[in-house]
Amino acid sequence: MKMVSACLAGKNVRYDGSSKKVEYAENMVRRSEAIAICPEMKGGLPVPREQCEIVGGTGDDVLNGKAKVMTAKGEDVTAQFIEGANETLKLAQQWAVHRVIFCRKSPSCGCGKIFDGTFTGTLREGDGVTTALLKRHGIEVAREG
């Protein structure tokens, strides 16, 4: 079984209420080859929600207590991102997920590159919180495209 970002499967769950629909991801979910998930919603965040970025590091740093996930208005939402990551991991383990395809740049799902926490559109090397947690548990995570 695979898992994909719900926004890639055409679900309007991004912070601004939109999706980033990718046909192959939508088809995988339709054919029951993948589970669609939004870790941020699993952590209790609403749609729409404030734009968030990891401040002070990467998803690994958040999991290690060395960085935070903040909204553009300065609200600390680290706990919700960690909760969403843990819930996503539980679901992945329950369904024996071996590969995940996540959305780029996200503070949850980002794989390889994420926004740098300045809310200026600048990218840095690193993974989002959920991606980092899944990788720690031996689950392969790739970004769309």
Side-chain angles (χ1 to χ4, degrees), residues 53-70:
E53 293 188 9
I54 297 172
V55 176
T58 66
D60 273 315
D61 296 319
V62 171
L63 294 172
N64 292 333
K66 296 179 180 178
K68 295 182 180 210
V69 185
M70 305 293 290

Side-chain angles (χ1 to χ4, degrees), residues 2-7 9 11 25 29 34-38 42 91:
K2 295 180 179 129
M3 183 179 278
V4 298
S5 292
C7 63
K11 310 291 185 202
V29 171
I35 302 164
I37 192 160
C38 175
K42 282 287 188 190
L91 189 61

Side-chain angles (χ1 to χ4, degrees), residues 122-137:
T122 306
L123 295 173
R124 68 174 295 152
E125 296 292 320
D127 294 326
V129 178
T130 301
T131 295
L133 185 64
L134 294 177
K135 284 182 172 181
R136 285 183 180 188
H137 286 84

